[in-house]
Amino acid sequence: MTESGPTGFGGTTLAIETSCDDTCAAVVRGRRILSNVISSQRAHERFGGVVPEVASRKHLELAGPVVDAALAEAELTIDEIDRVAVTAGPGLIGALLVGLSTAKGLASRRELPLLPTDHLQGHVAANFLEPEPLDPPFICLVASGGHTLLAGVTDHSGFEVLGETLDDAAGEAIDKGARMLGLGFPGGPALQKLAEDGDPDAFDFPVGMSNGPGLDFSFSGLKTALVYKCRDLGEEGVESNRADLAAAYQAAVVAQLVDRLERALAVGQWEAVALGGGVAANGPLRAAVADLCERQGLRLKLVPMALCTDNAAMIAAASNWSEPLPWPEYLTFDAFATGERA
Ligand code: KG4
Ligand code: ZN
């Protein structure tokens, strides 16, 4: 099959995503997800964070079985696939290369086109999928372990960065805070659970860059504030205040995310808001954004949890607007770790 440009919502796509520690494959037809398989690597838990070399090795073990599972769940064979999409970056370079090599191999088998796709565009494009698809224009807050940004989405093929973190990502701050409170990795779900028993007003944590009109984020000061708070409280003090510390820390992360979204809404003409990235699974964040949208009469799109965290269905959705590379041109194509390909 040959394709000469982006296809929009046509055809059946097999997509692969291996930018970090989740090995993912999905089959998507138009806006409909036929399968979306995510194998989260538990191997990193004992290290308290993602170890790049371990991630690459695990992707090597898992990529084949995960692709097989995605095809089986979609009740299709590779012969019924029109093109193969894959995350080209940004991400961990070794991890990306495993997914890219797998995708090249699968596409080559039938000389299918390959669609190298941007990971962040994937988080935005998760909103284009069923159920209740959202089409541009909308503003999307993407907050994950590796990225935090506000995307102004005016067409399906890209987005404008309205603001982004100047240091840590929101998920990174959450994971590091959770670790200081003795919670495992990844810390988001555990911190949220612990915070349910705590009082968010019990401690006063700083909301980064709360003065001024800017749309950028900063979480490093918040992290340092927790280090000092734990030092002042001492081991026993931390132990007896863990739930309150978790609630107040989480509240400061959420407050900053919502504050920046609110500022962006004040300067732009947006009628719809979407959330993406793993942190978008956070209950208090979802509730606060829902409240903001209700107050301002805006449509809110909250994708299902499986489309918030890293997944390959979102890569398939974004790939509909990627430039397809014909066989065998893509055999020399490389992944990229950060920023944009030159
Ligand atoms: O998008 P994602 O799966 O992978 C990256 O691209 O980073 O996001 C993972 C991040 C982690 O930092 C994790 O702690 C955070 O999302 N996370 C949460 C929740 N679930 C996952 N953060 C806050 N609350 C949650 N419920
Ligand atoms: Zn991600």
Side-chain angles (χ1 to χ4, degrees):
M1 179 176 165
T2 54
E3 286 184 29
S4 56
T7 54
F9 292 113
T12 304
T13 307
L14 169 66
I16 296 172
E17 147 67 39
T18 61
S19 66
C20 193
D21 60 337
D22 295 315
T23 314
C24 315
V27 179
V28 173
R29 181 174 288 154
R31 294 179 188 266
R32 204 152 63 83
I33 301 171
L34 304 184
S35 64
N36 190 22
V37 178
I38 303 169
S39 179
S40 296
Q41 302 177 357
R42 309 285 307 263
H44 304 277
E45 285 171 11
R46 66 196 168 100
F47 300 108
V50 178
V51 183
E53 178 64 15
V54 173
S56 309
R57 287 167 189 254
K58 280 282 163 196
H59 285 311
L60 267 178
E61 276 173 35
L62 295 168
V66 165
V67 167
D68 288 347
L71 286 168
E73 211 176 287
E75 297 182 5
L76 294 175
T77 68
I78 189 76
D79 294 334
E80 292 160 286
I81 296 295
D82 297 320
R83 55 236 170 110
V84 179
V86 62
T87 307
L92 302 172
I93 194 69
L96 289 164
L97 285 170
V98 176
L100 183 60
S101 308
T102 307
K104 283 179 182 176
L106 285 162
S108 296
R109 201 161 120 192
R110 289 193 39 237
E111 302 186 7
L112 296 175
L114 186 82
L115 293 103
T117 298
D118 182 273
H119 179 80
L120 292 167
Q121 180 63 23
H123 279 300
V124 168
N127 296 290
F128 307 160
L129 295 169
E130 289 180 356
E132 296 172 27
L134 176 66
D135 287 310
F138 61 88
I139 187 165
C140 185
L141 170 65
V142 180
S144 71
H147 309 277
T148 296
L149 60 93
L150 276 168
V153 188
T154 51
D155 64 71
H156 288 99
S157 63
F159 59 85
E160 183 190 352
V161 178
L162 305 174
E164 61 190 328
T165 185
L166 303 180
D167 41 56
D168 293 344
E172 193 180 351
I174 283 174
D175 291 340
K176 286 177 179 163
R179 192 175 178 178
M180 279 185 248
L181 298 177
L183 301 169
F185 176 83
L191 190 80
Q192 182 181 329
K193 192 153 194 331
L194 180 59
E196 280 165 15
D197 298 324
D199 173 7
D201 297 320
F203 294 99
D204 199 16
F205 284 116
V207 174
M209 307 185 75
S210 56
N211 299 317
L215 298 182
D216 288 330
F217 303 81
S218 170
F219 294 96
S220 60
L222 171 63
K223 212 176 53 189
T224 309
L226 181 62
V227 171
Y228 286 138
K229 188 63 74 187
C230 290
R231 192 193 58 186
D232 294 348
L233 286 169
E235 218 171 291
E236 274 179 30
V238 170
E239 194 48 43
S240 54
N241 288 284
R242 275 174 83 235
D244 285 346
L245 287 165
Y249 188 81
Q250 177 181 258
V253 174
V254 170
Q256 185 178 169
L257 294 172
V258 176
D259 175 75
R260 261 359 77 83
L261 181 58
E262 199 163 0
R263 278 187 203 169
L265 289 169
V267 293
Q269 300 291 318
W270 302 101
E271 286 174 12
V273 172
L275 296 181
V279 180
N282 184 263
L285 175 65
R286 285 179 167 239
V289 174
D291 182 55
L292 172 66
C293 289
E294 197 178 323
R295 276 189 279 122
Q296 301 205 5
L298 304 170
R299 176 176 173 194
L300 172 61
K301 161 84 181 176
L302 291 174
V303 294
M305 297 292 184
L307 292 178
C308 276
T309 50
D310 287 349
N311 68 88
M314 71 181 196
I315 299 303
S319 78
N320 289 321
W321 283 270
S322 301
E323 201 59 48
L325 296 178
W327 186 87
E329 201 177 286
Y330 51 76
L331 293 178
T332 54
F333 185 87
D334 259 335
F336 63 101
T338 56
E340 280 182 30
R341 175 184 310 282

